Amino acid sequence: MDSNDAVTGDELTRALDVHSLRILVAIHREGSISAAARALGFTQPTITQHVQRFETRLGTPLVARTARSARLTPAGALLAQHAPRIDASLTAAATELARLLGREAGAVRIAAHPDLMTNVVAPTLGRLIAEMPGLQLTVAEAAADEALDMVRDGRTDIALITTFADHADPATRRTMHGLRSTFLFGEEILAITTSQVDTTNGRIDASELASLPWIFGDGTATSIAAERAARSYAAGDLTVSRTDSALALVAQGIGATFIAERALSGVLAPELRVLGLAPSLRRRTMAVTLREAEDIPAVAAAVRLLALHHPSAVDIEATRGSRRRAAGQRARFSHGLNRRQADLGHLTTSSRHPAVLNVEESSAMPSMKRVVHIGAVAATSAVLLSGCTADAGPSTGGADSGEAIDNITVALPGSLSNLYVGQESGILNFYIASITQEGLVSVDAQGRIQPGLAESWEQPDDVTYVYQLREDAYFQDGSPVTADDVVFSLQQARDETVSPGIAYILAGVKDVQKTGDREVTITLTAPNAAFAATMSTGGGAFITSKAFWEEHDGRVGTPDSLLLGTGPYQVTKFIPDSSVTFERVDSWWGEEPAVESITVEFVPDESTRLLAAQAGDVDVAFNVPLAQSQQWESLDVMSVDYTNDLSYVGLFFNTSLEPFDDPKVREAFAHAVDRDAVVERLLRGHGEAATTIMTPESLGQVYDADAAREKLTQIPQWEFDLDAAKAALADSSHPDGFETEILTPSTGPQLGTAAQALAENLREIGITLKVREVPIEEWLASLDASSSYGVGLMWYFSTLGDPGEISGYLLGAGNPSAYDNPRILELLSQAGSESDPAARIELLLKVETLQAEDVVNVPLWWGQSATAISKDLGIRDQSSFAFISSWPTQIYRTNQ
Amino acid sequence: MTTALASKPQLARQHPLAWMLMTRIVGTLVVLLILSMAVFSFLHLAPGDIVKTLLGNRPASPEAVDAIRERYHLDDPLPAQYLHWLGGVLTGDLGESIRLQTPVAAAVGGRLGLTLSLCGLAFAMALVVAVPLGVRSAVHAGGVVDRLATGFSIVGLSAPTFAVGLVLLYLFSYYLPVFPVFGAGSGGLDTLWHLVLPAITLALGLGAIILKLTRTALIRELASDYVSAARARGIGERRVRRTALRNAAIPIVTGASLVLTFLVGGTVLAETTFALPGLGTLLQDSVLFKDIAVVQALVLLVAIAIAVIALLADVGYLMLDPRVRRKGRTQ
C-alpha cells in the first residue's frame, strides 16, 4: 500500500458527509446516476461531480460506471450500508437541537402493509397529529419484506409488519440486525364461510373446510391457513387482492376465506359465519425501526402511539360462546347439582390412565416441541404414580374441552412481601414470579432443560455458555428483549444486596457479557454441571427490562412498580397481604393460554381458605396443609393432587457443640428416628421416608423412579432401633442422657409433630428433647453453624432439582453443621465439575455414604405438596417441576 | 425555657383547655421518645436475624452476609442506628421497609384506611348495640333482657376473636351466603360490605365490655340518693333516668376509650381470619421480620392514637360534667 495514498481513519471520518452518503444510497437504490439525480431532485452533472469529489477525498472509487448503469464498488456499498443509520442519528440530533432552539419540527415516514392502513395506521396518525401539530407525515404501502428493506435503506422510519408465531416467514426470519421491533398487538386468524359445518365452541379445524373452494390473495391469511392445514392451491380456488372482495365472494356462498380478527371489524355481512380455528392461528403486528431512529422524538412518539392503539376486535362466537359456557359451568358448580357431577368426575379421573390422557392431548398440539414435552410428561406421571405411597393417583382432571377460561383464583396460605424473587425467595415466590417472568431456559416435567428466552445455547468449553436469544420475545410493555436486558437482569441477580435470595445461585459466575445483538455469553469461575438449570425461573434467571428497572430505581416487585417480564401474563395489581392480579398479554412468544386472567389471593388463615374453597371462591390452592388434607379431599368442588415437591426434611447436628461433637450421641439420635411411622401416621402417607439427602426426582436425568430409589437405598442406613440407640448412648460421653432443645418452624406444623415423635422415642433412652415451635424467621436464624442449637430440623425446598444442590449446602463449605470432612469437600468439588450426570451421581452417592457414616445429617422424608384444584379444571404436565415454569399456560377446562 | 416556665401558671389559670393540651402534647412527646428507644432495643434483642431471613434457607458466603449488613447499616453500633432512624423521622422520613422494599409511609398509608374503617365500624356497632342494651338491663335489672344481655356479654368476652370470626364465616358466608368469605373488596361500599363480618367479630368483645360498664354505672347511679330524692319529688321516670345516664356517662366514656385502644391488638386476629390487608398483619409480620422502621412507625402511630383518644375522653368529661368545667375555671 502506498504511504502517499494511505488515509488515516481520522481523516476518513472528516471526509464523510451526510449529503454524499445520501447520494450513494440513491445510486445504489436506483441503479444509475441519472435516476439517482432525479430521485434527489438534482441534475445529473451535479451528482456526477459530487461523487467524483467525494471519491477524491476518500482516495478510493465508490461508483463503478458502465454505459447505462452505475453500481457501487465494495467501498461504496459499505458506506451506503451505514448511511441510513448515520442519517437517522443526525436527524435525531437535529430534531433535539430544533427543540432546544424552540423550533419544533419533525417528520415521520411510515411504510405499512395495505391491510394495516384502515385499522392501525389511520387512527394512530390522527392521534399523532393531535399530539404533535406541524408534524410532516409520509405514508407508503408496502409488503413486509419491502417495508423492512425501506427501513434498512432509510427510505422510511417505521415499518409495520405482521408475522405468524410459528410460521417461518422469510422476510421476518432474516436477521433483524440493527433493527428494533416493538410488539403492537396479536390477533387470531378466523375462518369466514357460509357453509353449515359443525363447530365446537365456535372453533373449527381448518382441514374440515378443505373441500370448499378457498379464496386466497392479499388482504387474507388464507395461504398461511392452507400451509397449516397442509392444503395446496386446488382447482376452484380464487385469488383476490382485497379483504372486502374476499368477503363479498364468501357472502355469495362461494367457499371460505381466512382473515385476521381486526381486519373484520365493521365489514361483516350478517350472513357470514365467523369461526375460530382449532388449534388457533395467531398473527402479531409489529413496528420496526432502525435502532438509531429510536431517539428521533417524532418516531418514538409514533411507535408509542402505535403500541397504545388496539384496534377493535369483532365479537366472535369462538370466544364469546366459550365465555358464556364457562360462566354457566361455574354457576352450576355453586348450586345444588354439584355433588353428582363431582362424583362422575371422580370416576372418570380414576379410571383413566394418565398416559392415555396425554396422548389424546398431544394429537391436538401443533408444535413439535410441545409434543416432545408431553411424551416426557407421560413418563413422569408414571414416575409419580409409583412414588405415591397412598392410593392417590395424579388427579390431573378430565380431557381438555378447549374452552377459554375467564379467570382463575389462586389461594396462597400467606402473603408475599415482594414479587421479585431476588428480594424474597420462598417457594411460593418462585411459583408466582414464574407466571410473569421467564428465564433463558425452562425446565420440563422431567427436570430437563428446554428453550426459554434463549432459543438455543452451546457450551464451547467447560466454563463458557453462549445463549442465542429468541427474536420474537417481548416484554409485556411491548419492548423487545435485548441482550442488554438479559445481561443487566443477570448482573442484578448476582448482586447480593439487590437480590439476597438468589445471588448464591450465581455465585460461580465470573462474567456475563453481551457478545452479539442477540447473544449473551456467561463465563464461570469453575466448571459447574448444575449451571445450565440455574438459567431458568427455578434458578436465578428472572429476566426483566433494564429500562423498567432503572425507571423504578431498582425497587421492583413493590405495589408501585410491580414486575415486568416476558411471560404470558402481566402483573396488573399487587396489594401485600391481599392479592396479586395477572392479565394475559398477547406479546408472549408461545401459544396463547386458555386462562385470561389470574387472581392470587393471600388467605393466611387455613380454616378461612378451606371455607372459601367450599363456597366455590377458589380454583387453585397451593400447599394445602397435610393435617387438613382430608377436609380438602372431601370437598365437592375441589380435587387434591399430591406431588413430590423436591423438598427434603432431615435432622442435622452441629458437630462443634457439646454433646453432638460425639458421634455416638448422633448415632443414638439416628437410631431413635422412626421414619416409616412419621410418614405413615403424621404425614398420612403424603411423603416418602428418605434414605438420602438428594431426592429421587433429582436423579431423573439418568434413572427412572424405581432405579433412582434403588440407587438411594444403597447408602448405609441407621435403622429405627431403640435398643441400639440406648447402646450407642451408653458408649457415648453422656451415658446418662442429657437435655437439649430443637426449633421447628411454625409454617411447617408437620415438622413440629415429627420432632414431638422423636422426643417421645428419645425420652425412652434418657434424652430430653424440648420441641419449640417458633416463627420461621427465628428458625432460619438457627440454621447456622454459629447458632447455639446442637440439633436442628432442616427443611429445604429445591427449585433446581439438582442432585448436588442440597448436599452441597448441608455438607459443603460453610455448612450449618460446622462439619469439615476434606474427603467430602473434594468429592463435592469433583461432582461440581463432572459433566457426565451418571458419574456425578456416583460421586454424590459417595458423599452421602461418608456423611451417613459420620451421622451429620439424618434424612427423615422427601416431601409432597398438596395442591387443590377445582374439579372443572385440569393441569397438563403436572410434575415436581410444574410450578416453576409458566404453569398457568398448562391449565385447561375439563369437559365434565 | 424560663419565660415559658414563668408563664405556665398564668396560662393554666386563663386557658385551662390550652394548658391541658400543651401539657398533654409535651408529655406524649416524651413518652414517644422513650417508647421508640425501648422498642428499638427490644426488637434488636428479639430472636431472628434479618440477614438470614433475607437470604433464606440457602448457602450464603460471608461476603454476601457482609454486603447485606453493610447495605442496611446493621454493623453500626446500636445508638448510631437509632440516631440514624430518629434523624430521619425528625426530617419527616420514616425510613424504608426492608421486607417490602417500599417507603414506610407508603406501606403504612396504604393500610391505614382499612384498619381505621374496621375499628370505626366495630366501635360504632358496639356502641349502638351495647349502650341501649346496658341501659335497659340496668333499668330492669334481673329481667329477661338483662339476663340475656349478661349471657351474651359473657360469651362475647370469653370467645376468642378467631373462633368468633370462623363461626360467623360458617354462618353468614357458607350456610347463608350473604357476606364474602375473605378479602377487602374493591373499595367504597364493596369494602364496607367486606368489613361487616370482621367488624362484628371485633364488636362482640368490645360491646360486651361496654354493656357491662353501662349496666354497672347506671345501676349505681339509679341507686344513689339524688335519684330517690328526684323520684320522691315526683319527677317523671324518663327525666330521672336521663339525669342518671348523664351521670353514668363519665365511667362509660372512660371505659369505651380504653377499650378502643385495645381494638388495635384485636385487629391482628380479625385481619388474619378474614384475609384483610390491614395494620395488624403488617405489625405482626414486621415484628417477626425485625423490620424495625415499620415496627417503630406503627408503634408510634398506635401510641399517638391512644394519646389522642385519651385526650378526646378528657374533653368529653368537660362537656359532660359541669363540675369538671367549673373546677378548671376556679383553679
Side-chain angles (χ1 to χ4, degrees):
Chain A
M1 202 174 270
D2 257 1
S3 59
N4 271 8
D5 289 353
V7 188
T8 66
D10 193 33
E11 281 167 320
L12 276 178
T13 313
R14 263 180 277 145
L16 295 177
D17 71 288
V18 71
H19 182 53
S20 309
L21 292 175
R22 278 182 186 157
I23 290 172
L24 284 183
V25 171
I27 294 171
H28 177 61
R29 191 170 63 228
E30 306 293 336
S32 78
I33 293 195
S34 50
R38 270 198 304 279
L40 294 171
F42 292 98
T43 62
Q44 190 252 336
T46 322
I47 297 294
T48 311
Q49 281 171 19
H50 195 101
V51 169
Q52 280 165 356
R53 278 202 301 276
F54 192 35
E55 285 176 330
T56 321
R57 282 210 304 275
L58 294 174
T60 180
L62 299 170
V63 182
R65 298 170 193 82
T66 57
R68 296 230 164 140
S69 64
R71 239 173 357 90
L72 297 186
T73 63
L78 183 117
L79 283 179
Q81 198 193 326
H82 280 287
R85 278 186 269 157
I86 297 172
D87 205 346
S89 295
L90 274 176
T91 312
T95 323
E96 274 181 44
L97 183 66
R99 191 195 293 157
L100 183 75
L101 300 174
R103 278 180 249 146
E104 180 114 22
V108 175
R109 295 163 299 166
I110 299 177
H113 194 274
D115 282 4
L116 300 169
M117 282 296 167
T118 323
N119 291 321
V120 183
V121 179
T124 311
L125 291 188
R127 292 183 61 182
L128 193 58
I129 292 167
E131 204 167 280
M132 306 179 84
L135 188 72
Q136 282 180 37
L137 284 168
T138 316
V139 177
E141 289 193 347
D145 41 358
E146 193 194 336
L148 286 180
D149 280 341
M150 289 173 76
V151 170
R152 282 199 195 92
D153 299 350
R155 280 178 288 147
T156 191
D157 297 311
I158 302 170
L160 292 180
I161 58 165
T162 55
T163 61
F164 288 86
D166 54 350
H167 176 72
D169 192 342
T172 49
R173 277 290 155 195
R174 212 189 310 164
T175 54
M176 304 272 269
H177 185 84
L179 298 184
R180 178 190 161 95
S181 56
T182 304
F183 176 85
L184 302 182
F185 58 88
E187 61 195 323
E188 266 196 53
I189 300 297
L190 303 169
I192 321 284
T193 184
T194 49
S195 122
Q196 291 302 316
V197 280
D198 289 338
T199 62
T200 44
N201 310 324
R203 290 187 175 273
I204 189 171
D205 187 338
S207 57
E208 283 179 45
L209 296 168
S211 55
L212 296 171
W214 281 17
I215 297 159
F216 286 82
D218 291 345
T220 73
T222 312
S223 56
I224 308 289
E227 197 174 296
R228 275 275 293 267
R231 180 191 189 275
S232 50
Y233 194 87
D237 285 355
L238 302 170
T239 304
V240 296
S241 60
R242 287 161 55 127
T243 309
D244 49 355
S245 326
L247 287 173
L249 286 169
V250 175
Q252 295 308 314
I254 306 171
T257 190
F258 299 85
I259 291 173
E261 207 178 328
R262 318 270 185 192
L264 284 173
S265 89
V267 292
L268 274 181
E271 62 270 29
L272 292 173
R273 292 186 71 194
V274 183
L275 306 172
L277 293 179
S280 63
L281 176 57
R282 295 187 64 76
R283 188 175 87 164
R284 354 168 80 202
T285 301
M286 277 170 301
V288 182
T289 61
L290 282 178
R291 277 183 201 285
E292 289 76 7
E294 274 172 51
D295 298 333
I296 304 174
V299 174
V303 172
R304 183 173 49 81
L305 288 177
L306 281 167
L308 282 176
H309 174 68
H310 284 251
S312 54
V314 283
D315 196 10
I316 345 150
E317 191 201 342
T319 54
R320 177 165 34 89
S322 59
R323 226 169 262 159
R324 199 188 318 121
R325 251 184 298 278
Q329 190 95 351
R330 287 270 68 190
R332 264 185 297 153
F333 263 104
S334 54
H335 289 101
L337 279 168
N338 49 10
R339 184 175 299 270
R340 199 158 46 90
Q341 271 187 341
D343 287 347
L344 278 173
H346 190 71
L347 268 179
T348 38
T349 318
S350 49
S351 61
R352 238 180 242 270
H353 191 277
V356 177
L357 212 161
N358 285 315
V359 171
E360 270 181 15
E361 279 162 23
S362 69
S363 64
M365 290 296 134
S367 77
M368 196 56 207
K369 184 196 140 207
R370 186 58 68 80
V371 174
V372 171
H373 209 73
I374 279 166
V377 180
T380 329
S381 304
V383 169
L384 292 175
L385 249 185
S386 60
C388 293
T389 42
D391 57 349
S395 45
T396 44
D400 189 351
S401 68
E403 277 182 46
I405 303 168
D406 276 354
N407 180 271
I408 58 167
T409 303
V410 180
L412 294 194
S415 179
L416 306 185
S417 309
N418 189 290
L419 297 179
Y420 176 51
V421 174
Q423 168 65 25
E424 193 190 47
S425 53
I427 188 73
L428 294 173
N429 291 75
F430 279 93
Y431 292 176
I432 298 307
S434 299
I435 300 176
T436 189
Q437 289 190 299
E438 291 181 291
L440 289 176
V441 299
S442 59
V443 175
D444 72 7
Q446 261 195 321
R448 289 177 314 197
I449 297 161
Q450 300 289 355
L453 279 179
E455 57 186 359
S456 66
W457 58 94
E458 56 182 358
Q459 200 185 349
D461 60 63
D462 277 355
V463 291
T464 313
Y465 291 77
V466 182
Y467 293 88
Q468 302 292 339
L469 304 182
R470 339 177 46 99
E471 293 211 343
D472 53 351
Y474 297 90
F475 288 111
Q476 287 129 4
D477 64 356
S479 60
V481 177
T482 65
D484 289 316
D485 291 319
V486 173
V487 172
F488 181 82
S489 304
L490 294 177
Q491 298 288 19
Q492 297 308 315
R494 287 174 66 194
D495 183 336
E496 54 275 279
T497 58
V498 180
S499 311
I502 53 176
Y504 80 96
I505 299 175
L506 303 179
V509 173
K510 188 169 139 200
D511 196 21
V512 184
Q513 265 182 341
K514 171 185 173 178
T515 45
D517 240 16
R518 313 206 63 81
E519 187 181 280
V520 173
T521 302
I522 300 174
T523 326
L524 308 183
T525 46
N528 180 0
F531 175 76
T534 63
M535 285 297 111
S536 68
T537 47
F542 293 85
I543 306 304
T544 190
S545 145
K546 184 179 180 187
F548 165 78
W549 186 286
E550 284 172 349
E551 183 194 338
H552 294 288
D553 208 12
R555 284 201 197 100
V556 297
T558 67
D560 291 331
S561 60
L562 306 176
L563 268 188
L564 184 66
T566 56
Y569 294 89
Q570 178 176 22
V571 194
T572 50
K573 203 160 83 176
F574 169 43
I575 310 171
D577 286 319
S578 176
S579 62
V580 197
T581 49
F582 296 87
E583 293 287 340
R584 185 174 67 199
V585 291
D586 43 18
S587 59
W588 193 46
W589 50 270
E591 198 183 319
E592 184 176 64
V595 179
E596 205 172 306
S597 64
I598 302 166
T599 313
V600 178
E601 300 276 0
F602 306 128
V603 187
D605 191 285
E606 286 301 345
S607 311
T608 310
R609 193 156 69 124
L610 181 66
L611 209 58
Q614 224 158 1
D617 292 349
V618 174
D619 294 305
V620 179
F622 280 128
N623 290 10
V624 169
L626 291 174
Q628 228 184 26
S629 61
Q630 283 174 331
Q631 282 150 284
W632 283 85
E633 278 171 31
S634 64
L635 292 186
D636 295 333
V637 286
M638 306 286 277
S639 59
V640 184
D641 187 37
Y642 299 92
T643 312
N644 290 29
D645 59 6
L646 306 176
S647 70
Y648 160 85
V649 177
L651 285 176
F652 72 96
F653 303 104
N654 191 332
T655 56
S656 67
L657 287 181
E658 262 243 75
F660 297 96
D661 52 349
D662 182 352
K664 282 287 168 193
V665 170
R666 306 202 292 262
E667 205 180 305
F669 265 71
H671 274 304
V673 169
D674 189 357
R675 295 188 190 89
D676 294 324
V678 166
V679 169
E680 201 69 26
R681 294 194 208 116
L682 303 180
L683 303 181
R684 300 206 175 97
H686 300 309
E688 192 178 348
T691 52
T692 52
I693 297 173
M694 60 177 129
T695 60
E697 287 74 27
S698 66
L699 272 53
Q701 283 191 317
V702 184
Y703 299 103
D704 67 26
D706 292 334
R709 282 171 176 80
E710 199 180 312
K711 270 267 161 217
L712 297 182
T713 36
Q714 288 169 8
I715 307 296
Q717 300 291 318
W718 301 96
E719 295 305 327
F720 172 57
D721 184 349
L722 283 183
D723 294 330
K726 243 177 238 167
L729 190 66
D731 282 353
S732 76
S733 51
H734 289 73
D736 304 326
F738 54 91
E739 191 182 308
T740 188
E741 192 178 34
I742 190 167
L743 302 186
T744 68
S746 56
T747 48
Q750 70 273 28
L751 272 71
T753 43
Q756 295 285 4
L758 174 68
E760 285 299 312
N761 293 341
L762 287 172
R763 199 204 325 261
E764 288 185 31
I765 62 167
I767 299 174
T768 312
L769 181 67
K770 283 191 189 158
V771 181
R772 189 155 63 91
E773 189 180 270
V774 295
I776 182 132
E777 289 85 358
E778 191 177 345
W779 173 75
L780 281 172
S782 75
L783 303 176
D784 196 273
S786 63
S787 83
S788 58
Y789 297 93
V791 56
L793 265 178
M794 177 52 64
W795 189 25
Y796 191 102
F797 277 92
S798 165
T799 52
L800 293 171
D802 180 74
E805 184 184 355
I806 312 178
S807 38
Y809 169 42
L810 295 182
L811 302 165
N815 62 63
S817 295
Y819 176 57
D820 182 25
N821 184 335
R823 181 81 189 107
I824 282 185
L825 292 181
E826 194 195 315
L827 283 169
L828 281 175
S829 87
Q830 272 179 35
S833 53
E834 176 60 62
S835 54
D836 174 33
R840 193 156 170 259
I841 288 169
E842 291 307 322
L843 289 168
L844 290 169
L845 285 172
K846 275 186 201 161
V847 170
E848 299 259 6
T849 310
L850 287 174
Q851 88 85 21
E853 281 162 4
D854 278 355
V855 226
V856 179
N857 288 276
V858 181
L860 290 175
W861 71 82
W862 298 308
Q864 279 191 348
S865 284
T867 310
I869 303 164
S870 171
K871 278 188 176 153
D872 58 352
L873 296 177
I875 298 187
R876 284 182 285 265
D877 296 14
Q878 172 66 304
S879 79
S880 305
F881 298 92
F883 296 121
I884 48 171
S885 54
S886 303
W887 56 269
T889 61
Q890 304 296 333
I891 288 183
Y892 61 89
R893 173 86 68 205
T894 58
N895 53 7
Q896 291 168 24
Chain B
M1 203 63 182
T2 45
T3 52
L5 271 173
S7 64
K8 258 184 203 170
Q10 201 188 350
L11 182 69
R13 244 176 287 124
Q14 288 175 348
H15 303 283
L17 193 64
W19 172 244
M20 183 178 86
L21 270 176
M22 210 185 86
T23 47
R24 277 302 176 83
I25 288 171
V26 172
T28 308
L29 284 178
V30 172
V31 168
L32 289 184
L33 190 73
I34 295 169
L35 195 64
S36 71
M37 282 184 208
V39 169
F40 201 92
S41 347
F42 284 138
L43 211 54
H44 197 80
L45 293 173
D49 175 2
I50 194 160
V51 179
K52 261 297 208 191
T53 311
L54 279 170
L55 289 167
N57 181 15
R58 289 291 187 265
S61 64
E63 295 79 40
V65 173
D66 289 345
I68 294 169
R69 295 193 73 85
E70 164 103 41
R71 172 166 181 194
Y72 297 113
H73 309 289
L74 297 176
D75 286 327
D76 297 354
L78 199 56
Q81 288 185 42
Y82 177 76
L83 288 177
H84 181 80
W85 171 82
L86 191 66
V89 171
L90 292 178
T91 52
D93 174 19
L94 288 173
E96 186 96 1
S97 162
I98 300 177
R99 187 172 72 94
L100 302 164
Q101 293 288 307
T102 52
V104 170
V108 174
R111 295 151 185 262
L112 191 59
L114 187 85
T115 301
L116 281 183
S117 329
L118 178 60
C119 291
L121 197 61
F123 192 60
M125 280 180 178
L127 281 187
V128 165
V129 176
V131 172
L133 211 57
V135 169
R136 180 143 178 100
S137 301
V139 171
H140 301 286
V144 182
V145 176
D146 183 26
R147 264 179 281 159
L148 274 179
T150 308
F152 157 82
S153 61
I154 288 170
V155 171
L157 273 176
S158 50
T161 310
F162 72 91
V164 174
L166 276 180
V167 168
L168 288 177
L169 275 179
Y170 262 104
L171 289 180
F172 297 107
S173 298
Y174 183 59
Y175 290 113
L176 201 72
V178 185
F179 294 102
V181 182
F182 64 88
S186 51
L189 280 178
D190 190 43
T191 298
L192 202 64
W193 191 238
H194 278 76
L195 288 181
V196 172
L197 285 188
I200 294 177
T201 310
L202 286 176
L204 215 60
L206 203 65
I209 298 174
I210 297 178
L211 192 149
K212 282 275 181 194
L213 280 171
T214 311
R215 182 178 176 274
T216 318
L218 196 58
I219 283 180
R220 202 185 56 219
E221 291 300 326
L222 286 175
S224 60
D225 291 347
Y226 73 87
V227 170
S228 308
R231 281 183 177 148
R233 286 187 63 179
I235 292 172
E237 190 58 24
R238 284 176 69 92
R239 206 170 148 199
V240 170
R241 280 183 207 159
R242 221 169 37 232
T243 317
L245 184 61
R246 185 161 180 175
N247 281 312
I250 286 190
I252 297 175
V253 168
T254 315
S257 69
L258 275 174
V259 164
L260 185 58
T261 58
F262 279 121
L263 249 187
V264 181
T267 54
V268 177
L269 293 169
E271 282 169 13
T272 306
T273 306
F274 293 92
L276 296 172
L279 292 178
T281 39
L282 180 68
L283 180 62
Q284 187 188 18
D285 291 343
S286 303
V287 167
L288 292 176
F289 197 96
K290 299 182 86 170
D291 197 354
I292 287 187
V294 179
V295 177
Q296 289 279 52
L298 285 176
V299 167
L300 296 190
L301 187 73
V302 172
I304 291 171
I306 290 175
V308 169
I309 291 169
L311 187 67
L312 287 180
D314 285 355
V315 175
Y317 300 160
L318 285 179
M319 281 170 7
L320 286 167
D321 193 341
R323 286 171 303 177
V324 181
R325 258 176 301 188
R326 220 169 296 129
K327 215 193 286 170
R329 212 168 290 145
T330 50
Q331 251 178 5

